[in-house]
Amino acid sequence: MTYCEDESVVLEVRTRMEGDKIDDNGDNSKGDYVDLRDENGAGERCNHCGGCWGSGGSVFWYWVKLAVTFTFLGLLAAACVKWVSPFVMDKEIIPIINWETTTFSTPVLVLLLFASVALFPTLLLPSSPSMWVAGMTFGYGFGFLLIITAVAVGVSLPYFIGSLFLHKIRGWFDKYPKRAAILRAAGEGNWFHQFRSVALIRISPFPYILYNYCAVATNVKYGPYFLGSLAGMVPEIFVAMYTGIVIRTLADASNDRRTLSAPQIVFTVFGFCATVVATITITVYAKRQLKVMQDEPLLA
């Protein structure tokens, strides 16, 4: 069928859909049809699906925007490393490090860090700064062993204490059923299902401190809860330790009154961007997997 529009001939193709009723005049009284008119010369539009043909352009611009975003973040991080961090280091970080090293011996510092990571979650206090100090002081090796041991205590105490407040926690679940749905799903299924669910919840953005108390109200067993928590906390621990190591590197450079070399700046910025990308990727993956697991049939 053709007709004139703005002194030009426009071809209109109507394809019949299942259940469409087209009368004798060719009008579609019910149902949708595909309209192939090119009004702006920018591609055809499908009324039935509501999309636009030739979506490759939108994918291309998505990656362009993503590249521009990470380039901006990299330049911003480089600027902070070059100009902002020396000022912050001189005024805040270096005095704290000097106070720490002159006030506490190594065994005392180990005990303090262990106690803070183990007990702060029970008191609803964040323990990330202690993880930064562990990475800053002891590095990845001993620092990781210290933190993971303290985390084992930090996730266990609230689990057992939370059993004293089961009624209140379950009342919160009933008040916010949508938010509690994923947490309830973690307590269902077999041992591996619970372990996997707990690990994904730990990786996801759900608050670490709150889940310590909420887990016992979902009927998740202590074994999968404990091991799943340790497995899910590993990425966060390494990110916190990396942050502490970067802070120490910048503090040492500022204390020695020297600037970082170009390779050091590139390595620091690249490590920062890689950490951000990895954290976002793992978090998104964990959230998607939790939604998938909610729809999976459970094994006894």
Side-chain angles (χ1 to χ4, degrees):
M1 173 180 178
T2 60
Y3 62 92
C4 295
E5 182 179 284
D6 297 334
E7 299 181 357
S8 62
V9 178
V10 179
L11 175 63
E12 182 180 33
V13 180
R14 296 183 178 182
T15 62
R16 184 170 181 175
M17 311 298 294
E18 183 178 355
D20 290 352
K21 294 182 179 180
I22 302 178
D23 56 24
D24 296 336
N25 296 325
D27 294 332
N28 188 352
S29 59
K30 291 185 178 179
D32 297 325
Y33 63 88
V34 178
D35 187 358
L36 299 181
R37 288 179 296 171
D38 188 359
E39 297 180 355
N40 300 319
E44 299 81 356
R45 183 169 182 81
C46 174
N47 290 340
H48 179 70
C49 62
C52 183
W53 291 10
S55 60
S58 61
V59 175
F60 170 77
W61 285 113
Y62 168 80
W63 285 107
V64 170
K65 292 177 181 178
L66 192 65
V68 171
T69 300
F70 281 109
T71 301
F72 172 77
L73 291 176
L75 293 176
L76 182 62
C80 290
V81 170
K82 185 69 175 179
W83 292 292
V84 179
S85 64
F87 176 80
V88 177
M89 294 298 166
D90 291 338
K91 298 297 183 181
E92 302 293 338
I93 305 300
I94 292 177
I96 293 176
I97 294 176
N98 292 335
W99 173 79
E100 168 200 321
T101 54
T102 56
T103 305
F104 304 108
S105 62
T106 299
V108 173
L109 184 59
V110 169
L111 290 176
L112 290 176
L113 292 177
F114 180 89
S116 61
V117 176
L119 300 179
F120 279 9
T122 305
L123 303 175
L124 302 181
L125 296 175
S127 57
S128 295
S130 299
M131 297 183 187
W132 299 346
V133 175
M136 185 187 308
T137 307
F138 302 110
Y140 288 114
F142 182 74
F144 176 78
L145 294 178
L146 173 63
I147 293 175
I148 198 68
T149 306
V151 165
V153 178
V155 299
S156 298
L157 288 179
Y159 179 88
F160 295 113
I161 295 175
S163 60
L164 302 176
F165 307 97
L166 281 179
H167 180 71
K168 291 184 178 180
I169 297 175
R170 287 172 177 169
W172 180 82
F173 284 175
D174 295 335
K175 188 177 180 180
Y176 303 99
K178 291 184 178 180
R179 297 181 181 180
I182 294 178
L183 302 185
R184 292 183 186 274
E188 301 173 351
N190 56 19
W191 191 97
F192 180 75
H193 180 274
Q194 293 185 359
F195 165 81
R196 183 185 175 193
S197 299
V198 171
L200 292 174
I201 290 174
R202 291 301 190 186
I203 297 173
S204 72
F206 192 87
Y208 161 75
I209 296 176
L210 291 182
Y211 185 65
N212 290 341
Y213 284 98
C214 293
V216 66
T218 63
N219 297 323
V220 63
K221 304 299 183 183
Y222 176 72
Y225 164 80
F226 177 77
L227 295 178
S229 295
L230 294 185
M233 287 292 295
V234 168
E236 180 180 347
I237 292 173
F238 274 107
V239 169
M241 294 180 62
Y242 171 78
T243 303
I245 292 174
V246 170
I247 292 175
R248 186 58 186 255
T249 300
L250 297 177
D252 290 341
S254 180
N255 192 37
D256 296 338
R257 301 300 177 185
R258 60 180 175 84
T259 59
L260 295 177
S261 63
Q264 287 178 315
I265 294 177
V266 171
F267 179 78
T268 301
V269 172
F270 176 79
F272 170 79
C273 293
T275 302
V276 172
V277 172
T279 302
I280 295 175
T281 302
I282 294 174
T283 302
V284 171
Y285 171 79
K287 292 176 67 176
R288 289 180 178 177
Q289 288 300 311
L290 285 172
K291 291 182 179 179
V292 171
M293 291 179 66
Q294 282 185 283
D295 299 329
E296 286 181 350
L298 299 177
L299 300 177

